[in-house]
């Protein structure tokens, strides 16, 4: 026994030294240093307010050990706080135990305190009344009242007491629903982990991304988004299961293949060998189709080393599915059914169309300047080359034989208000990209009934009249013209299409236009099968100067498009379809090439990929050769889907732990530097 006691004392002394060195905070961080300094300063202040050199007694270091040991055993809850509100009449006068977080205490006197306890999910609260010996009238043990005084707000607690009737409560802590007609008279209190004094957790506190855990705890809209996301995922699983899809997980450690986007590589201890994190489960789901799985889906984690923006993350989730013996039409009908179910069950909206409208890629780009069109914004784009003189063209663009397009912006019935808006926009940082366009900046014309030819004199008499008739111009309208090269559409937008969105956003921000309401679904189809390769989009690394617009496994749409592969591949259309909602791409899919010979032809003869790159697809060609049936599929960006359903501008608001603008996680401080030992293990070195 004496030996065991000596060992215990040595253990406490060791813990004491650790606490004095590190002030019970995580070491190795700037925050730890700041808190350590603060702890040391508090320790040096005596009770009289003067500096003191006395150190905390070594015996105090036993406190946290004893506290932790006590927290290992705590009473189970008899009820959840929300349940007490539902069953309050049955529980009057009965003992209950609840778990949750202490709210701010309101001491009415030494013997009377009120405070809320917030439920474990931070959605509900109930008032606790704590009585000292004088107010309790000798009824029960009042030691919990004394313990309550020493417990900080926001601490995790187990509270026991008797349910009493109370006057109806008005409000509870911010973001919670208060149980209205009853309260708990405190009989027992156990602090399971005390909230630190150096963290201020108030409704108005703004926590940085490095304290994401406190952001989630303090901001109900983040917690609600995560709950909504979980419900949406469950609804997807339920609906796809009803449609006979099977959820199958595919590997996260894949191989590097030239599908288009940059990959994250995972080095191995075998010199020169590395895995790649999957950009998508594309090849594995095609393999499943060849394996006799008729309908597959999964909530897939995907990874792409891309430049970040509000709706893009280096790791993201997509709802991925594939169907064998199917066409794109089958996939689109499946998704329409799923979307209607999501909107009905989660948003209470039951009026979505049985079939979503469709628009070709060329039509979307020519009319709205975007492959993610939002027709409700109006401001449709038109070509007006036939109405613009050669002299005016030369003044607006350095291009020879350009395409000239125009859109009409209607924000006011007055020309002066229109001029003020357009002048303020053109002077803003948002206009810099458009003004510095190497193909020429936008031309701006305000329709003004008080001016010659209503302000359109630069077009000439006849052209001004024809513009007025073609665009149904009214006083106060603004015309924006823009030149672009005479070439087939490529990419996701035109300059005028981007300007259209920027002008509408600015007008809404200034209260000059109303943001459209409702949900405007649209399928965009008939994308080009191939696009010109660029430095920014090198594609699959072939020598033909082409890249697959989406990925090299996409099938040509028709027999005529197959014939174009040998003569004019840039004119071939893909059997590809994107689902767009309110100008946001929710996802895209396609019919796949199921014939190994056709797949090899596209990789080798059309894209002209070198032999070493072709070898990276040898496994897929061998699998397709084994009688793979026709198949099609789609992937919906699940993060983006949830953000749109909730009306959030950024997908970071619907992800628990999103990466920052530089691809970092400031909470856990990733990515982290590789140690010399790790570099040696994986046969790597850092280039100078």
């Amino acid at each position: 026994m004496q030996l065991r006691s000596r060992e215990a004392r040595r253990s406490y002394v060791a813990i004491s030294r650790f606490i004095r060195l590190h002030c019970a905070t995580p070491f190795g961080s700037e925050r730890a240093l700041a808190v350590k300094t603060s702890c040391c300063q508090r320790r040096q202040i005596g009770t009289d307010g003067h500096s003191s050199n006395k150190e905390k007694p070594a015996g105090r270091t036993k406190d946290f050990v004893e506290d932790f040991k006590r927290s290992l055993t705590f009473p189970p809850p008899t009820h959840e706080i929300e349940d007490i509100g539902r069953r309050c009449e049955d529980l009057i006068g009965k003992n209950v135990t609840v778990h949750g977080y202490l709210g701010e205490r309101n001491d009415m006197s030494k013997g009377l305190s009120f405070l809320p306890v917030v439920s474990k999910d931070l959605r509900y609260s109930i008032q606790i009344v704590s009585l000292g010996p004088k107010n309790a009238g000798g009824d029960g043990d009042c030691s919990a009242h004394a313990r309550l005084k020493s417990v900080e707000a926001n601490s995790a607690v187990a509270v026991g007491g008797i349910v009493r009737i109370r006057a109806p409560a008005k409000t509870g802590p911010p973001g919670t629903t208060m149980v209205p007609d009853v309260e708990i008279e405190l009989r027992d209190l156990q602090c399971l982990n005390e909230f630190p004094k150096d963290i201020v957790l108030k409704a108005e506190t703004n926590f940085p991304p490095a304290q994401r855990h406190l952001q989630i705890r303090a901001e109900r809209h983040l917690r609600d988004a995560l709950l909504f996301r979980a419900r949406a995922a469950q609804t997807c699983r339920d609906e796809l299961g009803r449609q006979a899809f099977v959820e199958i997980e595919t590997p996260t450690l894949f191989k590097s293949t030239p599908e288009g986007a940059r990959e994250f590589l995972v080095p191995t201890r075998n010199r020169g060998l590395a895995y790649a994190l999957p950009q998508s489960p594309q090849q594995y789901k095609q393999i499943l189709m060849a394996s006799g799985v008729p309908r597959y889906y999964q909530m897939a984690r995907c990874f792409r080393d891309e430049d970040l923006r509000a709706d893009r993350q280096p790791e993201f989730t997509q709802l991925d599915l594939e169907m064998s013996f199917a066409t794109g039409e089958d996939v689109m009908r499946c998704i329409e059914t799923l979307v209607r179910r999501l909107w009905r069950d989660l948003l209470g909206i039951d009026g979505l169309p049985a079939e979503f409208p469709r628009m070709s890629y060329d039509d979307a780009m020519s009319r709205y300047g975007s492959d993610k069109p939002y027709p409700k914004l109006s401001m449709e784009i038109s070509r007006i080359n036939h109405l613009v003189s050669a002299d005016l063209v030369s003044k607006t663009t350095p291009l020879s034989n350009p395409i000239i397009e125009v859109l009409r912006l209607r924000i006011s019935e007055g020309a002066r208000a229109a001029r003020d808006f357009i002048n303020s926009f053109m002077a803003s940082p948002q206009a810099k990209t458009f003004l510095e366009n190497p193909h020429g900046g936008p031309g701006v014309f305000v329709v003004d009934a008080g001016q010659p030819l209503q302000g359109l004199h630069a077009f000439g008499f006849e052209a001004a009249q024809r513009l007025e008739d073609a665009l149904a111009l009214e006083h106060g309208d603004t015309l924006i013209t823009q030149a672009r090269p005479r070439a087939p559409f490529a990419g996701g937008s035109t300059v005028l299409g981007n300007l259209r969105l920027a002008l509408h956003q600015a007008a809404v921000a200034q209260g000059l236009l109303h943001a459209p309401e409702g949900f405007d679904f649209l399928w965009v189809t008939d994308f080009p099968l191939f696009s010109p390769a660029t430095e920014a989009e090198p594609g699959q690394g072939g020598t033909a100067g082409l890249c697959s617009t989406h990925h090299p496994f996409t099938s040509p749409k028709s027999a005529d498009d197959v014939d174009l592969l040998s003569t004019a591949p840039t004119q071939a259309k893909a059997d590809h379809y994107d689902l767009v909602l309110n100008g946001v791409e929710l996802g895209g899919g396609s019919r796949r090439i199921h014939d190994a010979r056709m797949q090899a032809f596209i990789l080798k003869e059309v894209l002209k990929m070198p032999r070493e790159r072709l070898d990276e697809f040898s496994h897929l060609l061998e699998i397709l050769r084994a009688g793979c049936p026709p198949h099609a599929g789609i992937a919906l960006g699940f993060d983006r889907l949830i953000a749109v359903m909730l009306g959030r501008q950024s997908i970071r608001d619907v992800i628990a732990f999103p990466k920052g603008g530089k691809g970092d996680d400031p909470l856990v401080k990733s990515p982290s530097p590789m140690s010399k030992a790790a570099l040696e293990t994986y046969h790597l070195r850092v280039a100078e």
Side-chain angles (χ1 to χ4, degrees), residues 519-530:
F519 297 99
D520 193 17
F521 286 94
L522 180 71
W523 287 109
V524 178
T525 62
D526 299 335
F527 286 83
L529 188 58
F530 303 104

Side-chain angles (χ1 to χ4, degrees), residues 289 292-295 322-327 330 591 627-632:
M289 297 301 101
V293 177
R295 293 192 170 197
E322 199 83 5
M323 307 166 63
S324 67
F325 297 95
T327 67
D330 299 314
R591 185 172 181 172
C628 182
H631 54 283

Side-chain angles (χ1 to χ4, degrees), residues 441-629:
V444 179
F445 306 89
V446 176
V447 179
D448 187 344
Q451 297 292 324
L453 294 181
Q454 298 196 79
L456 304 179
H457 53 276
F459 292 92
F461 179 80
E462 182 180 357
Q465 184 65 48
R466 293 174 67 181
L467 271 174
E468 184 178 349
D469 294 340
L471 301 178
L473 297 179
E474 297 179 3
H475 177 68
D477 286 351
T478 301
L479 294 185
I480 310 292
T481 63
Q482 181 64 58
R484 64 177 177 85
R486 187 172 294 276
F489 289 114
S493 62
T494 65
V495 172
L496 189 56
N498 293 334
L499 181 56
R500 171 180 177 265
L501 297 178
L503 287 169
H504 185 272
Q505 185 178 22
V508 169
Q510 294 185 29
L512 300 172
L513 288 177
H514 295 292
E517 297 180 351
F519 297 99
D520 193 17
F521 286 94
L522 180 71
W523 287 109
V524 178
T525 62
D526 299 335
F527 286 83
L529 188 58
F530 303 104
S531 301
T534 64
E535 290 185 5
E537 296 290 342
Q540 292 73 41
T543 60
L546 299 175
C547 65
S548 296
T549 301
H550 293 94
H551 56 63
F553 318 119
T554 303
S555 173
K557 184 161 188 177
S558 67
D560 291 339
D561 293 307
V562 174
D563 292 338
L564 288 171
L565 296 178
S566 299
T567 58
T570 57
Q571 297 178 26
K573 300 298 182 184
D575 195 354
H576 182 95
Y577 32 86
D578 277 357
L579 180 60
V580 176
L581 171 58
N582 296 356
V584 176
E585 179 191 337
L586 294 184
S590 67
R591 185 172 181 172
R592 325 300 187 185
I593 299 170
H594 65 280
D595 187 290
R597 296 164 297 177
M598 178 55 66
Q599 183 68 78
F601 175 79
I602 285 180
L603 297 175
K604 182 178 179 181
E605 304 300 334
V606 179
L607 294 173
K608 298 189 182 304
M609 294 173 57
R611 169 56 59 185
E612 60 270 17
R613 307 240 67 176
L614 287 172
D615 289 343
E616 294 171 352
F617 292 110
S618 60
H619 63 282
L620 181 62
L621 297 176
E622 181 63 22
I623 290 160
L624 296 179
R625 194 173 69 88
C628 182

Side-chain angles (χ1 to χ4, degrees), residues 404-420:
I404 306 295
E405 296 176 321
V406 66
L407 64 80
R408 183 199 66 188
L409 173 63
R410 179 172 291 170
I411 60 171
S412 171
E413 297 179 356
R416 181 170 182 176
R419 286 194 189 92
D420 289 344

Side-chain angles (χ1 to χ4, degrees), residues 223-390:
R223 301 193 304 275
D224 286 348
L226 297 178
L227 177 61
F228 183 92
R229 180 187 177 110
R231 292 172 55 205
Q234 184 58 46
T235 301
C236 289
R237 288 186 167 96
D238 183 67
E239 176 60 31
L240 292 176
R242 190 187 67 80
Q243 296 187 40
F245 282 84
V246 178
E247 184 172 12
I248 300 175
E249 295 180 348
T250 55
T252 299
L253 294 176
F254 187 43
K255 63 178 289 186
S256 179
T257 58
E259 295 182 30
R262 285 192 300 268
E263 300 165 313
F264 287 101
L265 297 180
V266 182
T268 72
R269 288 173 292 171
N270 296 318
R271 183 184 296 273
L273 297 181
Y275 296 105
L277 300 181
Q279 302 174 36
S280 75
Q282 181 61 47
Q283 293 188 52
Y284 276 118
K285 65 181 179 179
Q286 289 191 249
I287 294 170
L288 287 171
M289 297 301 101
S291 304
V293 177
R295 293 192 170 197
Y296 136 94
Y297 86 95
Q298 72 170 313
M299 289 289 181
R301 296 293 289 168
C302 304
F303 308 85
R304 296 179 187 175
D305 188 7
E306 298 178 313
D307 296 331
L308 303 185
R309 58 191 184 207
D311 61 346
R312 183 178 288 175
Q313 287 274 294
E315 56 177 320
F316 55 94
T317 302
Q318 66 183 33
L319 175 57
D320 195 65
L321 62 86
E322 199 83 5
M323 307 166 63
S324 67
F325 297 95
T327 67
E329 294 291 333
D330 299 314
V331 174
M332 287 189 274
R333 284 196 294 269
C334 167
I335 291 299
E336 287 169 350
T337 301
L338 172 63
V339 166
R340 285 194 297 270
R341 168 83 182 272
L342 284 168
W343 258 249
R344 183 185 72 239
D345 289 5
L346 299 182
L347 299 180
I349 296 175
D350 203 14
L352 296 184
E355 294 184 3
F356 298 161
R358 301 187 186 188
M359 183 182 296
S360 72
Y361 169 80
D362 285 341
D363 200 18
M365 293 290 284
S366 62
R367 294 171 60 188
Y368 303 105
S370 173
D371 65 353
K372 301 176 283 293
Y374 194 2
K376 279 189 176 181
L377 302 187
S378 64
M379 294 165 36
E380 193 166 320
I381 296 171
S382 305
R383 289 193 186 186
I384 57 168
N385 283 73
H386 59 293
L387 300 177
V388 182
S389 66

